[in-house]
Amino acid sequence: MMDISGLTTVVSNSAYISARGSFDTNTNPTSTKRNKKYFSQLKLPHITVCKGLRESLDLRFHSVCIEQPIGKQLFQEFLETASEYRGPCRLWKDIEEYGTAEDKDRMQKAAKVIQCYMEPSAKYYCPFLPENGITKVKEAHQEAGDALFAETLESVMNFLKEVPFTLFLETMYLKRYLQWKWLEMQPAGEDWFLDFRILGKGGFGEVSACQMKATGKLYACKKLGKKRLKKRNGYEASSVAGADGQCSSHKLK
C-alpha cells in the first residue's frame, strides 16, 4: 500500500505534469489555462486612471529608459517612429548586442557598427558622434575589447536624453508607460498562485513549483519562513528574496 505522503507526491506530480502540458511544443499556446477572474486584473487601465503617476514617478531619462525595461522598450519604439532617431536607436541596440556577443563574433559586429553608423555615407550615420571617438573605435575594433564602444554609448545616451526624450514625454508611449507602472503597483498575493510540488528545501524555507492563475505560466517560488529567518539571523542572507522577506518567484523554462 502507498502511504499518504507518497499519494500526495503522486497527485502533485500529476497536476504539475498536466500544467506543463500547456507549454509543450505540440500544443497551441492559446490553450494555456487561465483563471478569468485573475486574468481580468492584468488588463491595462484607462489612461485617466494613471494621470496622477506623472507627478509621483521619477520620469528622468536614466530612471525611465535605463533602469526600467518597459520604459526602455517603449522609448526605443518611439525612436523607431522618427527617421532622425532611428540611427541612434539601432546603434544603441547594436552596441548592447556587441557587449553580449561571443568573443569570436565581436570583431565582425564591431565592423558592422562602424560601417552602419560611423561612415558619412551610411544610411544611419550618426553625425553627433565625436570624430576622435570614431577614430579610436576604428583603430581598436580588431582587438574587440569590452570597452570598445563605451564612449560611443555615452555619446548616444547624451544625445537621446535631450530633445528625443523630451518629445517622448509628450507622446502616447509615455502614457503607456504610466499604465504599466500602475499595473505593476497592484498587489498580487499568494492566492494568485497554485502550488504543485516542492522542488527543494533549504535552511530558511523551500522552493516549490507553482502556476500563476492569471496566465497559466509556471514558476519556481521560494518560500521563506519569517520565524526561522529571525531566529537564525537570515534576513541579510535572504535579502534577494524581497524587502518583506516573504517570497520570490522565477519563471520555469
Side-chain angles (χ1 to χ4, degrees), residues 59-196:
L59 295 182
R60 290 175 295 181
F61 175 80
H62 190 271
S63 176
V64 176
C65 304
I66 306 298
E67 295 179 351
Q68 301 290 328
I70 186 63
K72 176 181 177 180
Q73 180 177 328
L74 289 169
F75 181 54
Q76 289 181 340
E77 287 181 8
F78 160 72
L79 295 175
E80 287 286 352
T81 65
S83 58
E84 63 268 35
Y85 303 139
R86 207 166 291 149
C89 178
R90 296 185 181 185
L91 173 56
W92 180 7
K93 293 179 181 178
D94 281 350
I95 290 177
E96 289 188 335
E97 186 178 332
Y98 169 86
T100 58
E102 298 287 343
D103 290 343
K104 60 182 178 63
D105 299 324
R106 279 191 162 187
M107 190 170 74
Q108 182 180 355
K109 289 184 179 296
K112 175 189 173 185
V113 169
I114 293 172
Q115 181 182 0
C116 293
Y117 310 104
M118 297 182 175
E119 298 292 351
S121 59
K123 181 178 179 180
Y124 294 115
Y125 174 62
C126 297
F128 60 86
L129 295 177
E131 291 186 11
N132 62 332
I134 293 177
T135 301
K136 288 180 182 178
V137 170
K138 289 182 177 180
E139 291 176 349
H141 85 279
Q142 292 187 349
E143 299 174 10
D146 291 341
L148 178 63
F149 293 111
E151 291 184 17
T152 303
L153 183 60
E154 183 178 356
S155 296
V156 172
M157 295 296 102
N158 288 336
F159 173 77
L160 293 177
K161 72 181 182 181
E162 297 299 335
V163 176
F165 182 66
T166 301
L167 295 175
F168 167 78
L169 292 177
E170 302 304 321
T171 67
M172 187 62 199
Y173 292 94
L174 188 277
K175 294 179 180 178
R176 183 68 73 198
Y177 174 74
L178 297 180
Q179 289 176 302
W180 277 105
K181 296 305 291 181
W182 181 92
L183 186 60
E184 184 182 275
M185 294 176 183
Q186 305 313 301
E190 61 182 59
D191 60 307
W192 280 63
F193 297 89
L194 180 65
D195 277 353
F196 286 115

Side-chain angles (χ1 to χ4, degrees), residues 194-215:
L194 180 65
D195 277 353
F196 286 115
R197 56 168 298 195
I198 295 175
L199 300 175
K201 293 185 178 182
F204 299 113
E206 61 187 28
V207 177
S208 62
C210 64
Q211 185 177 41
M212 190 177 189
K213 295 177 182 178
T215 63

